[in-house]
Amino acid sequence: MPASSLVDVKHQLTFYGAYHDHPINVLIHMIFVPAILWSALILGSHAPWPDFFPQLHLTFGNYFAFDLNWSGLWVVFVGIYYYFLEPTAALIYTPEWLVIGLNAAAYARKPDGLKNALLLHVASWVAQFSGHFFAEGRSPALLDNLLGALVLAPFFVHLEILFKLGYKPQLRENIHQSVKQTIADIKTSEAQAKKKEL
C-alpha cells in the first residue's frame, strides 16, 4: 500500500465501509465501537510498561486521568493520525476522543476496572460479529486488516454520524460510490473463486 493512501480518507474509509454497508451493522457499530475502544484502552492500560520508560500519571478530577502507557500513546498517536485523514472531522471528534481516552485511564485504576472492561469488551465483540455475519453477510474487516480496522473503526463511526447530519455531502457520496464498487468487485471475485472450485 502506498504511503499516500494511509492519509487518503476516501481510500481508508472505502476499505472500512466495504465491510460496513448494511444499516443494521452500521447501527451496531455506532453503539459498540465506542464501547470496544473504551474497554480496550482499559485493558491496554494493564499491559506491562518497561521500567526504563518515563512514568507519568496525571489526574483531572475523579473521572479523568492520563497515564503514559500503551493506551495513552494510542490515544495520542491515533488522534493525530485522524487529523491527517480529515482535519475538520478530527477537530470535531477530539473532545469525544479525549473524554473516552481520559475516562478509560481513570477507570482502569478502579479495583474492578479490569474485570468490568473485559466483560464489556467481550460482549461488544459478540455484538459486532453478529452484525457482520447476520446483517452484513461478511467477515469483519479485522480479519483482513487488523490494525487498519482497529484504527479506523472509531473515526468511521464518527464520520457516519457527521454524514447523517449533512457533513461534506460530496465526500459522503464519493465514499459511498467507491464502497459500492468495491463490494461489487469483491462479490465478482468470490463468484469467480466458487466457479473455479466446481
Side-chain angles (χ1 to χ4, degrees):
M1 178 188 298
S4 60
S5 67
L6 292 174
V7 293
D8 181 338
V9 69
K10 181 182 173 185
H11 176 86
Q12 293 298 327
L13 294 186
T14 294
F15 157 74
Y16 197 79
Y19 293 83
H20 307 85
D21 192 52
H22 194 284
I24 292 176
N25 194 32
V26 171
L27 178 62
I28 289 171
H29 280 64
M30 286 182 174
I31 296 168
F32 289 102
V33 163
I36 287 174
L37 170 63
W38 182 78
S39 57
L41 291 173
I42 293 170
L43 299 177
S45 293
H46 290 272
W49 182 253
D51 290 335
F52 57 86
F53 281 14
Q55 308 294 316
L56 178 65
H57 173 70
L58 303 171
T59 57
F60 310 97
N62 294 325
Y63 302 103
F64 301 103
F66 177 80
D67 284 305
L68 185 58
N69 55 28
W70 302 118
S71 291
L73 291 179
W74 181 271
V75 170
V76 170
F77 287 109
V78 172
I80 291 170
Y81 172 60
Y82 292 157
Y83 277 87
F84 285 97
L85 275 179
E86 177 60 30
T88 305
L91 182 63
I92 296 169
Y93 187 39
T94 294
E96 180 185 346
W97 181 253
L98 290 177
V99 164
I100 291 172
L102 297 176
N103 180 257
Y107 196 83
R109 289 179 170 262
K110 291 186 176 293
D112 56 353
L114 182 61
K115 179 188 75 173
N116 292 340
L118 184 59
L119 291 172
L120 177 63
H121 199 71
V122 171
S124 298
W125 275 115
V126 169
Q128 295 276 91
F129 276 89
S130 298
H132 277 284
F133 289 113
F134 296 115
E136 199 75 52
R138 292 197 62 207
S139 60
L142 63 88
L143 296 183
D144 288 339
N145 184 339
L146 176 62
L147 186 60
L150 295 177
V151 169
L152 291 173
F155 201 56
F156 176 83
V157 167
H158 168 66
L159 274 169
E160 276 293 311
I161 294 170
L162 287 184
F163 287 153
K164 289 183 185 304
L165 296 174
Y167 180 80
K168 293 194 176 181
Q170 189 59 54
L171 175 61
R172 178 186 187 180
E173 181 59 23
N174 288 344
I175 291 172
H176 178 71
Q177 292 302 324
S178 186
V179 165
K180 291 294 184 189
Q181 183 60 53
T182 300
I183 291 173
D185 293 343
I186 290 170
K187 288 182 177 178
T188 300
S189 296
E190 289 173 349
Q192 291 173 346
K194 284 182 180 178
K195 282 184 180 179
K196 288 180 180 178
E197 290 175 1
L198 296 175

